[in-house]
Amino acid sequence: MGDAYVNTRAVKINVAIAVALLLVVAVVVLRAAGDSDMTWNYDKAFDQRANGTTALSDVMATAADDIWAAGQSTPTIGRPGDESADDGFLLHYDGTDWQRRPMPASFGTSVYDARFDAVDSGGLLLTASLDLNSLRMAHWDGTRWTALPKLPGDPRAADIKALAPDDIWVLDGGTVAYHWDGTRWTAMDLPTTVAALDGVASDDLWAVGSRSGTGPDEGPGLPGGQPAAVHWDGRAWKLVPTPEYHYKVPAYEQTALLTEVVALDGDVHAYGELTSVSEDDEPDPPAENIHLRWNGTRWTKLPNAEGACADRAHAVRDGERGEVLNARKYRTADGSCERIAKPKPPSSYGIKGRAWFRLNAITAVPGTDKILGVGYVASAGSDPAYKVIIVSLKR
């Protein structure tokens, strides 16, 4: 990850005291945007060579003594008929230590891309893939796993929203949404292509993506497109008008689309990007970020944040203090961008010199001020040392 930065502009100052004041302010701003005492603390590590663990893909906490991590491991080469499979497994923290647990029985063992989604009414939802187009889902209620039936047609899951054990939505990344009502899955056609989903109630959900545009390089069958948002009001999915985005200078095969939606009580934001495809070796215009807000009546354009914290992923709230954007970036409640330092692996890990540090998922632990991440740390050189890790944010 790149370090935080601050854009400055030249200001002509005619008196020396003003110049000195400007320098002092610049130093303070740089410190706020870059320097921080935050880092990650290594809580737990697993040796790949000892137990075959290769990845932890997600982590979710329902309480301080109920934390789950999902992973997969490559079986020992030579195991008959299973050399290329990935054995899925779970890790569970009960307030004392991490223990390895099997996947729900309905999943089998050969799964990958496991993910957790919080169930708003309690518990969590586990989803994993058996292959590119076959999903398995199960709900954890704090005591046991309850398997859900397969979705009609076994689609992939582009995004999931679980409001309750009997109110779950799945997007297939195209024009179909699937709803679980506690008894059966129902497939619903959508008016446009969507890939991201969020909402606050069973009759108030948003899905975002793209629609055919109206420009010269946009329309049915053409690559161009414009942002799209569809709303579920409890009865039907309806396309809601969204502002269009175009380059000031016409660009070949421009495409504007929304890739994320975040819904909070009374506040909905959507994020995306405007891009284009170069023609005849002409350089592409730079991509532009898209930020829309629903004001209760219509979608309006908002200016994008600038600087190192401008990019937005699935941010994890740190109480009232701010948000963890990713492994290296933290945005404070007042909007300042701070860098999270990369931690040095303990000497016992056997990793010397430069090291790769990556987190695949981050979660906040309810009722505490703890934020956990799962990923790996590995030697950047020829040394094959590699550790799967569970870390916590140290402030």
Side-chain angles (χ1 to χ4, degrees), residues 19-356:
V19 172
L21 179 60
L22 180 63
L23 290 175
V24 171
V25 171
V27 169
V28 172
V29 171
L30 285 170
R31 181 179 300 277
D35 296 342
S36 171
D37 293 331
M38 286 185 291
T39 187
W40 294 99
N41 182 68
Y42 290 94
D43 291 352
K44 193 78 174 178
F46 304 90
D47 191 339
Q48 176 195 20
R49 290 166 294 186
N51 61 17
T53 301
T54 58
L56 291 176
S57 57
D58 205 0
V59 62
M60 179 70 70
T62 65
D65 59 355
D66 188 29
I67 306 174
W68 293 85
Q72 60 194 46
S73 58
T74 302
T76 303
I77 299 301
R79 183 167 148 187
D82 206 17
E83 288 81 2
S84 61
D86 287 326
D87 283 351
F89 67 93
L90 300 171
L91 294 174
H92 181 250
Y93 182 77
D94 61 4
T96 303
D97 198 5
W98 290 91
Q99 300 291 333
R100 186 165 173 138
R101 299 282 185 86
M103 284 284 180
S106 59
F107 284 43
T109 57
S110 300
V111 302
Y112 61 97
D113 288 346
R115 61 175 280 177
F116 296 109
D117 290 278
V119 178
D120 289 357
S121 63
L124 55 84
L125 184 71
L126 173 65
T127 304
S129 300
L130 303 188
D131 53 48
L132 292 179
N133 293 295
S134 186
L135 296 176
R136 294 294 182 269
M137 305 179 79
H139 172 244
W140 173 255
D141 63 5
T143 303
R144 64 181 182 273
W145 290 102
T146 300
L148 275 66
K150 291 193 300 184
L151 278 75
D154 253 359
R156 71 185 186 91
D159 206 1
I160 298 169
K161 180 63 181 180
L163 294 163
D166 59 355
D167 191 4
I168 300 171
W169 290 90
V170 178
L171 299 182
D172 71 348
T175 59
V176 178
Y178 300 85
H179 182 248
W180 172 251
D181 63 5
T183 303
R184 64 180 63 86
W185 286 103
T186 301
M188 301 183 188
D189 291 329
L190 300 171
T192 192
T193 300
V194 295
L197 173 70
D198 201 8
V200 296
S202 58
D203 59 354
D204 187 12
L205 288 93
W206 288 95
V208 299
S210 62
R211 58 178 172 80
S212 297
T214 58
D217 290 313
E218 302 169 339
L222 296 175
Q226 287 296 328
V230 294
H231 183 253
W232 172 256
D233 60 6
R235 294 169 296 181
W237 287 99
K238 298 178 182 178
L239 188 66
V240 178
T242 48
E244 292 200 355
Y245 283 78
H246 299 276
Y247 286 106
K248 293 181 180 179
V249 176
Y252 182 70
E253 292 187 1
Q254 69 172 11
T255 298
L257 75 163
L258 297 173
T259 57
E260 183 182 5
V261 59
V262 179
L264 302 172
D265 286 333
D267 199 18
V268 184
H269 291 254
Y271 304 85
E273 189 176 57
L274 170 64
T275 61
S276 72
V277 177
S278 60
E279 182 183 22
D280 298 330
D281 297 325
E282 291 292 326
D284 291 340
E288 297 180 6
N289 291 326
I290 293 173
H291 184 186
L292 298 176
R293 180 178 183 270
W294 176 253
N295 64 10
T297 304
R298 61 189 178 91
W299 287 98
T300 59
K301 292 183 178 181
L302 290 183
N304 287 290
E306 298 181 358
C309 283
D311 62 319
R312 181 181 180 89
H314 292 285
V316 173
R317 289 291 304 171
D318 185 15
E320 299 299 321
R321 287 179 285 200
E323 296 175 302
V324 181
L325 302 185
N326 55 46
R328 301 298 304 277
K329 295 176 184 176
Y330 186 98
R331 183 165 52 213
T332 63
D334 63 5
S336 298
C337 182
E338 295 189 0
R339 182 177 58 197
I340 304 174
K342 183 174 72 173
K344 183 179 179 181
S347 58
S348 60
Y349 286 10
I351 297 172
K352 301 177 182 179
R354 293 180 60 248
W356 299 109

